[in-house]
Amino acid sequence: IAVVGAPATGKSTLVRSLQKELKCKAIFEGEEKDVPDFIKHNIKNNTNGLETIRWFHDRLVEQYEDALEIKSKGEVVILDSFWLSNLFYISTMVKDQKEKKLVEDMITDAEERFPYPDVIIYLKSNEKTIGDWMKKRGRTFEGELRKHIKTISKEHEDFFGNKKEIGGTKVIKVDIVKTSLEEVIKRLR
């Protein structure tokens, strides 16, 4: 199961809750301490977008491989992101057309190498709630990213918003402001 959405929509929080409720494994993209200083600098200053996306892409691919290994043992695993997630940052982090093409090629390569998750939970929120949650979690490097939340959220919505499935994978759309954990679990089953 992969949980996707713009930053600060509650992906990790939902994964922790589902992990506890479903008694399964979880893989997290990471907290501020897991992000190298040069990537934090890039995000904070909105520079080196290709390098930043590449770092996250490599991390997400590695985590997805770990998830597939866990799944091969018959266990359920939930991720708070997956290799497709970088798609929604291209327009805000990468300005050069050649670099955009490289990122799209990385995602296409992953799409050819890996199956989609069995279920994708798409978390939707509003700009105010996302902004409030970003401030609350206090990641020092996210200041510049806050300026792009509207675009990143719109790109998620354009891709996942009206889809019930992608590549044979069930998509569950969850409005985080209106939907309870119990409702998410009910829709998963």
Side-chain angles (χ1 to χ4, degrees), residues 13 87 146 162:
T13 301
L87 179 65
R146 286 186 194 125
N162 295 318

Side-chain angles (χ1 to χ4, degrees), residues 1 22-25 66-78 118:
I1 302 168
L22 302 175
K23 297 174 182 31
C24 62
K25 305 267 185 191
D66 293 345
L68 291 174
E69 178 67 25
I70 293 167
K71 181 183 172 192
S72 75
K73 296 175 183 173
E75 298 179 61
V76 174
V77 62
I78 306 173
D118 295 329

Side-chain angles (χ1 to χ4, degrees), residues 78-107:
I78 306 173
L79 299 104
D80 70 349
S81 196
F82 80 110
W83 50 262
L84 184 68
S85 298
N86 286 311
L87 179 65
F88 313 108
Y89 295 85
I90 295 172
S91 68
T92 59
M93 294 183 76
V94 182
K95 306 302 178 219
D96 180 83
Q97 291 303 314
K98 289 179 184 174
E99 289 183 356
K100 286 181 181 187
K101 176 76 168 96
L102 286 171
V103 174
E104 290 167 357
D105 288 348
M106 288 187 313
I107 294 167

Side-chain angles (χ1 to χ4, degrees), residues 3-164:
V3 180
V4 298
T9 51
K11 296 180 296 292
S12 297
T13 301
L14 177 62
V15 169
R16 281 186 204 88
S17 297
L18 290 173
Q19 177 187 25
K20 184 178 176 183
E21 189 69 32
L22 302 175
K23 297 174 182 31
C24 62
K25 305 267 185 191
I27 298 175
F28 297 93
E29 182 180 34
E31 299 301 327
E32 182 168 6
K33 66 178 175 49
D34 302 315
V35 179
D37 288 340
F38 75 98
I39 296 297
K40 291 176 192 174
H41 177 270
N42 291 351
I43 295 169
K44 184 177 183 177
N45 296 296
N46 198 24
T47 60
N48 302 316
L50 179 61
E51 177 182 56
T52 302
I53 287 178
R54 179 63 195 232
W55 185 84
F56 278 102
H57 176 79
D58 290 349
R59 183 173 177 90
L60 293 174
V61 164
E62 184 178 300
Q63 290 175 337
Y64 202 74
E65 289 171 334
D66 293 345
L68 291 174
E69 178 67 25
I70 293 167
K71 181 183 172 192
S72 75
K73 296 175 183 173
E75 298 179 61
V76 174
V77 62
I78 306 173
L79 299 104
D80 70 349
S81 196
F82 80 110
W83 50 262
L84 184 68
S85 298
N86 286 311
L87 179 65
F88 313 108
Y89 295 85
I90 295 172
S91 68
T92 59
M93 294 183 76
V94 182
K95 306 302 178 219
D96 180 83
Q97 291 303 314
K98 289 179 184 174
E99 289 183 356
K100 286 181 181 187
K101 176 76 168 96
L102 286 171
V103 174
E104 290 167 357
D105 288 348
M106 288 187 313
I107 294 167
T108 299
D109 177 65
E111 190 170 27
E112 291 170 356
R113 288 176 49 208
F114 301 114
Y116 275 86
D118 295 329
V119 177
I120 296 172
I121 301 173
Y122 159 53
L123 301 184
K124 175 184 168 48
S125 187
N126 60 56
E127 286 179 70
K128 181 181 178 343
T129 300
I130 291 172
D132 290 348
W133 285 13
M134 285 181 105
K135 285 179 189 173
K136 183 178 177 183
R137 73 182 182 183
R139 291 184 181 169
T140 57
F141 60 90
E142 286 186 329
E144 185 67 27
L145 191 58
R146 286 186 194 125
K147 298 175 186 175
H148 302 291
I149 287 303
K150 184 175 185 174
T151 301
I152 294 168
S153 295
K154 182 181 181 325
E155 292 197 16
H156 276 85
E157 181 65 19
D158 290 348
F159 190 86
F160 292 110
N162 295 318
K163 296 181 180 169
K164 301 219 185 283

